[in-house]
Amino acid sequence: MAVTHLKIEKKGAESIDEYLEYERIVGGDDKGKLFTPSQYEKYKKKMIPIRMNNRLYVCWASLKTGIECKQVGPETKCFCQHRYKQHKSDFEVLPTDRPFKLPCEELGCRCRSFSYIPRNGSQSIRCTCKHTTEEHSVVGAKKCQKTSCGCKKFYSQFTCGCGDPCSNHRMIIETKEERLSRGKPVGRDVPYKAMGGLTGFSSLADGYMRMDASGVGAPSMEILEQPSSMYFSFIFIGSVRFYLNLSSKQGVCLFKEGV
């Protein structure tokens, strides 16, 4: 099998980086037509302060364990099949009404607020009526649109990685102050569009898989400097830390300790 190598000159690579930066900042606000340099600077001057001051943190969390199973980012899909960056996420003045409403801004879409729905690999999950999310309405209780189906509400028994069914989860949309008051991480202020709940690289992983609660970086020095012959920090699940005990006479064993 032939392999094609693409060679990009330094100037070309810099242009690609500039375009990627443009995409992260603008998202789809240019409606498919690139801003001129003056339009781009005007856009940044208006939108970046809004995002730095009025960012909304969006996640999908388990009602039972409180684990934030999915941190919503710009590419995360809604029940309406459009991505979070295609929904309203920038507010010059934050609404006082709760819960926040983040309607889809795609032409013709009736979605009234972003609502995360998990997927089964690359496939859409199904309601108990056997029909997929795409075959249900995006408004109200999301009833099935199949004429022969009497399903009045989308309800799935699909189980999240945390062990709870997806029906036992809720959307959390909150301000920076509200998130801090719950003791949750907020990461750094960034100028990018629709960052939602992303606070670091590890926040891209599902909640039960994250090595640290914040998603902002490496484990503490206390963990990194402990003797490797004794314990190796393995995973956090909610408020419980799991360890591999490498010194056990029975071999490697897993035990937990509250944190």
Side-chain angles (χ1 to χ4, degrees), residues 51-63:
R51 292 170 187 165
M52 301 293 271
N53 297 316
N54 292 341
R55 175 179 172 179
L56 291 178
Y57 292 80
V58 186
C59 69
W60 188 69
S62 167
L63 290 170

Side-chain angles (χ1 to χ4, degrees), residues 7-211:
K7 184 177 180 181
I8 301 176
E9 300 296 334
K10 182 179 179 181
K11 187 175 181 180
E14 290 174 351
S15 297
I16 292 174
D17 288 340
E18 289 174 1
Y19 177 73
L20 292 175
E21 180 78 357
Y22 171 92
E23 274 294 301
R24 294 187 187 105
I25 293 174
V26 175
D29 287 350
D30 59 5
K31 306 302 180 184
K33 183 179 180 181
L34 289 176
F35 288 146
T36 63
S38 60
Q39 289 173 328
Y40 183 38
E41 290 304 315
K42 184 178 179 181
Y43 177 88
K44 288 193 293 183
K45 186 176 181 179
K46 176 184 178 182
M47 300 308 298
I48 289 178
I50 292 175
R51 292 170 187 165
M52 301 293 271
N53 297 316
N54 292 341
R55 175 179 172 179
L56 291 178
Y57 292 80
V58 186
C59 69
W60 188 69
S62 167
L63 290 170
K64 181 180 178 181
T65 64
I67 296 175
E68 295 182 344
C69 298
K70 180 67 177 180
Q71 298 292 351
V72 172
E75 301 297 333
T76 306
K77 278 193 174 183
C78 173
F79 192 96
C80 73
Q81 304 305 307
H82 294 124
R83 302 182 189 278
Y84 178 52
K85 67 181 181 180
Q86 294 168 291
H87 290 68
K88 183 173 180 60
S89 59
D90 295 320
F91 293 87
E92 290 189 53
V93 178
L94 289 172
T96 56
D97 295 337
R98 299 291 188 278
F100 287 105
K101 297 295 183 183
L102 309 177
C104 185
E105 296 184 318
E106 287 299 298
L107 185 65
C109 185
R110 298 190 299 155
C111 172
R112 295 172 183 170
S113 187
F114 183 89
S115 179
Y116 173 73
I117 190 74
R119 297 180 69 83
N120 186 9
S122 61
Q123 303 296 316
S124 299
I125 63 173
R126 294 180 180 272
C127 175
T128 50
C129 74
K130 310 296 185 183
H131 297 125
T132 64
T133 51
E134 292 94 328
E135 295 169 310
H136 285 71
S137 171
V138 299
V139 297
K142 300 176 172 57
K143 69 178 183 179
C144 187
Q145 299 186 108
K146 288 286 186 178
T147 54
S148 59
C149 185
C151 170
K152 300 298 184 183
K153 178 181 180 180
F154 183 87
Y155 184 88
S156 177
Q157 295 179 330
F158 180 80
T159 301
C160 172
C162 73
D164 285 341
C166 65
S167 58
N168 198 31
H169 288 69
R170 65 172 178 138
M171 290 298 305
I172 298 177
I173 305 173
E174 58 193 345
T175 65
K176 185 176 185 178
E177 291 72 22
E178 290 168 342
R179 187 160 178 79
L180 286 171
S181 70
R182 295 198 303 120
K184 298 296 183 179
V186 295
R188 301 178 180 87
D189 294 328
V190 291
Y192 305 127
K193 181 178 175 66
M195 287 300 286
L198 299 185
T199 55
F201 192 77
S202 67
S203 58
L204 294 170
D206 289 344
Y208 75 98
M209 298 174 64
R210 292 186 204 115
M211 285 291 290

Side-chain angles (χ1 to χ4, degrees), residues 223-244:
I223 292 176
L224 294 176
E225 292 177 351
Q226 59 188 322
S228 59
S229 60
M230 292 297 293
Y231 304 116
F232 175 73
S233 182
F234 181 62
I235 195 168
F236 284 93
I237 299 183
S239 61
V240 177
R241 177 185 294 157
F242 285 81
Y243 287 92
L244 285 173

